[in-house]
Amino acid sequence: MKWELRGKTAIITGASTGIGKALALALAARGVHLGLGARGQAELESVAAECRALGVRALAVPVDVADPAQCKHFVDTCVSELGACDLLVNNAGIGMWARFADVTDLSIYDRMMRVNYLGAVHVTHAALPSLIQGRGLIVAISSLTGKTGVPTRSGYAASKHAMQGFFDSIRVELKDSGVDVSVISPGFVATDIRKKGFAANGQPLGDSPRDESEGATMSLETCTEIIMKAITRREREVVMTAKAKVGMWLKLVAPGAVDRIALRAVRERDGER
Ligand SMILES: NC(=O)c1ccc[n+]([C@@H]2O[C@H](COP(=O)([O-])OP(=O)(O)OC[C@H]3O[C@@H](n4cnc5c(N)ncnc54)[C@H](OP(=O)(O)O)[C@@H]3O)[C@@H](O)[C@H]2O)c1
């Protein structure tokens, strides 16, 4: 049975650009009232305005999810203004593109855990009472990198593996509460995540010569459609590509083959040799 979304309330982190923004607009179009968070206030305000134009309430609340106090303030503000949180989408995230041996600024490992993993932990903890009250849904936007190790993504993979373990665990704890937990693992999606991700020196990678619409990259529209379907079905897990689904099985019987596939994918994708 499909979950009726109209009139529900959702909180989304990382809603100013990319997947978070696309989900905010898709949920607004389905009549969901929104609490939107990210650091960039102007971009967030503009997304909230686009959502309001679709006829829903939409709040833009600046938050750095790496700061636990800000996570609590963000969720409390959204819940008190909107009256509830039926759906929480933990989407805020940052990436990295560097081999471990080349990394000169190890603080990127700390930052990645604080944003991708601990940010989701703190936001979820603050939203839990309201989610339980409304028998709601928690969505974690993880990654295929949360399923298997990927070269040049070691810190990112660690944070997404942590996310997967955390949300798999609380899914079991919440079984009798009526709250469902959905872990979504996209592959390459056409967003600006690569430009903002860390290089070996801890600085953002910046513009890449790569065309994001190329090859194995999924369009933002397709990714959003898949996530929206998972939300309405309250699916426990989505592994986004057919190749990755096969890879999950292969990892059980031939893990070395999956390592080679991951290496080849990163070489093709990032032009590494
Ligand atoms: N694109 C892909 O290929 C891909 C693949 C698999 C998984 N994912 C996951 O999908 C999620 C969304 O990524 P995206 O591709 O849409 O990237 P994106 O366009 O760079 O969006 C990232 C969002 O997270 C926010 N954010 C970053 N750091 C934050 C912080 N400290 N506090 C609060 N918000 C923060 C950003 O806003 P501000 O910078 O303004 O804070 C932005 O709204 C991430 O969790 C990512 O790991 C992406």
Side-chain angles (χ1 to χ4, degrees):
M1 205 175 68
K2 282 193 182 161
W3 191 29
E4 176 51 52
L5 291 176
R6 190 158 298 280
K8 296 279 191 304
T9 52
I11 292 177
I12 308 176
T13 65
S16 59
T17 59
I19 295 171
K21 174 182 175 178
L23 277 176
L25 291 167
L27 287 164
R30 300 281 291 267
V32 176
H33 305 291
L34 296 161
L36 308 176
R39 291 164 307 168
Q41 193 163 3
E43 284 162 315
L44 202 57
E45 253 316 330
S46 134
V47 177
E50 278 188 67
C51 293
R52 285 193 287 269
L54 293 168
V56 297
R57 298 186 65 202
L59 305 173
V61 184
V63 60
D64 182 344
V65 298
D67 177 346
Q70 288 190 40
C71 291
K72 175 138 179 58
H73 174 262
F74 163 62
V75 172
D76 288 352
T77 305
C78 293
V79 171
S80 86
E81 293 282 325
L82 297 171
C85 173
D86 302 303
L87 167 65
L88 169 64
V89 184
N90 286 293
N91 166 75
I94 46 172
M96 70 174 285
W97 279 263
R99 284 176 185 277
F100 183 53
D102 298 335
V103 172
T104 51
D105 180 358
L106 280 168
S107 73
I108 66 176
Y109 285 80
D110 183 79
R111 184 79 190 154
M112 215 118 24
M113 290 306 271
R114 283 182 193 280
V115 175
N116 297 356
Y117 167 53
L118 291 171
V121 170
H122 286 284
V123 168
T124 302
H125 192 261
L128 206 49
S130 188
L131 285 159
I132 290 173
Q133 204 174 0
R135 301 176 74 82
L137 174 68
I138 301 169
V139 174
I141 308 295
S142 181
S143 166
L144 296 184
T145 317
K147 299 284 186 193
T148 194
V150 176
T152 74
R153 312 285 203 270
S154 53
Y156 181 71
S159 69
K160 293 297 187 180
H161 275 69
M163 226 184 160
Q164 178 88 49
F166 171 75
F167 284 105
D168 280 348
S169 302
I170 66 165
R171 179 189 297 112
V172 186
E173 289 180 7
L174 291 168
K175 197 174 176 305
D176 296 329
S177 72
V179 174
D180 291 319
V181 176
S182 182
V183 178
I184 313 280
S185 299
F188 297 123
V189 183
T191 70
D192 280 346
I193 192 167
R194 271 157 288 278
K195 286 186 195 168
K196 298 185 207 161
F198 294 114
N201 62 0
Q203 296 303 307
L205 205 63
D207 275 325
S208 114
R210 198 188 149 80
D211 177 354
E212 294 298 344
S213 61
E214 266 177 35
T217 304
M218 181 181 277
S219 74
L220 192 49
E221 291 70 29
T222 304
C223 173
T224 308
E225 263 174 43
I226 294 171
I227 299 173
M228 286 298 292
K229 199 163 125 192
I231 289 173
T232 54
R233 294 178 176 185
R234 296 172 69 115
E235 280 174 40
R236 98 182 243 137
E237 178 107 57
V238 176
V239 173
M240 263 192 203
T241 67
K243 204 170 167 183
K245 283 177 194 150
V246 174
M248 301 263 301
W249 286 105
L250 193 58
K251 196 172 161 71
L252 298 173
V253 289
V258 176
D259 290 353
R260 287 191 290 281
I261 292 168
L263 180 60
R264 200 178 322 127
V266 165
R267 281 179 171 166
E268 282 167 9
R269 157 106 232 139
D270 299 348
E272 264 209 356
R273 291 288 177 269

